[in-house]
Amino acid sequence: MAVYGYDRTSTKEQHLDRGILEIKRFCHERRMELTDIFTDQQTGRNFERPEYLFLRKRIQPGDTLILTEIDRFGRNKAEILKELQYFEERHVRVMILEIPTTLTDLSGIDDKFAKYVVEMINRLLIELYAIDAEKEVETKKKRQAEGYAAKRLRGEWDDIAAIVRASTRSVLVFLRLRLFR
């Protein structure tokens, strides 16, 4: 039974170090042999990420997947829940370091009702964290739009289309100069 880690950042400018170190530290403290860590540096709005898709194909029933945080897994609640359901159906244990109840091994619980309660709590917490991850994206978009509007009101922001056109013209001029020397 293999143990895999997965971490993601939205851009290449962001660093994966923190998540990788957290996963390695967790495995070391728990004496778990970490098989591999997969990482992507692209949007969390969907799961069309090359390393994640490779991990998805590689992971087998009985394996464990360690995530640091829900928002490092994804930013779309419905997609997050769908992906977690995929792993559950394939009997892959998912441990989310920011949600301590997911770190509890339920296989040793004999009382099926106690096990149901812990599973319900896990699902509830995961759903709450997934809602928060998606809300962060919406809040960021809203704040950006408000910031752009405020800049326009202050006269500090030209029409965005004009900026894009000017940038495109600059790139075309640059390319012409480089290509036709």
Side-chain angles (χ1 to χ4, degrees), residues 61-99:
D63 288 350
T64 299
L65 174 60
I66 300 172
L67 310 169
T68 55
E69 302 166 78
I70 285 285
D71 67 349
R72 299 296 83 212
F73 186 52
R75 290 287 191 173
N76 177 305
K77 177 190 160 227
E79 292 292 317
I80 290 168
L81 298 178
K82 184 174 98 179
E83 290 302 307
L84 292 174
Q85 182 68 34
Y86 171 87
F87 290 117
E88 185 176 334
E89 288 169 359
R90 281 151 188 79
H91 307 285
V92 172
R93 181 175 180 199
V94 177
M95 301 172 84
I96 305 163
L97 301 184
E98 76 174 334
I99 305 176

Side-chain angles (χ1 to χ4, degrees), residues 21-110:
L21 288 172
E22 277 187 61
I23 291 168
K24 286 181 176 179
R25 185 179 309 119
F26 176 80
C27 288
H28 177 75
E29 289 170 359
R30 296 278 179 114
R31 293 184 174 90
M32 297 170 75
E33 187 176 331
L34 183 61
T35 306
D36 204 352
I37 297 178
F38 294 85
T39 61
D40 285 301
Q41 290 189 293
Q42 60 189 81
T43 183
R45 285 185 223 132
N46 63 58
F47 284 85
E48 297 299 318
R49 303 178 222 134
E51 288 295 307
Y52 176 73
L53 292 173
F54 183 69
L55 163 69
R56 210 171 183 264
K57 288 178 186 172
R58 187 170 175 188
I59 206 160
Q60 299 293 313
D63 288 350
T64 299
L65 174 60
I66 300 172
L67 310 169
T68 55
E69 302 166 78
I70 285 285
D71 67 349
R72 299 296 83 212
F73 186 52
R75 290 287 191 173
N76 177 305
K77 177 190 160 227
E79 292 292 317
I80 290 168
L81 298 178
K82 184 174 98 179
E83 290 302 307
L84 292 174
Q85 182 68 34
Y86 171 87
F87 290 117
E88 185 176 334
E89 288 169 359
R90 281 151 188 79
H91 307 285
V92 172
R93 181 175 180 199
V94 177
M95 301 172 84
I96 305 163
L97 301 184
E98 76 174 334
I99 305 176
T101 55
T102 66
L103 308 179
T104 303
D105 183 5
L106 302 181
S107 65
I109 299 177
D110 293 330

Side-chain angles (χ1 to χ4, degrees), residues 138-179:
E138 297 303 317
T139 300
K140 181 180 173 186
K141 283 182 194 175
K142 179 180 176 270
R143 288 180 181 153
Q144 283 176 335
E146 290 169 350
Y148 296 151
K151 278 189 161 202
R152 279 190 204 97
L153 286 173
R154 291 191 309 266
E156 297 173 11
W157 184 270
D158 293 330
D159 180 76
I160 189 69
I163 292 170
V164 170
R165 284 192 300 273
S167 297
T168 304
R169 279 193 302 273
S170 298
V171 169
L172 291 174
V173 168
F174 174 76
L175 289 173
R176 277 190 214 120
L177 292 173
R178 301 286 283 167
L179 294 174

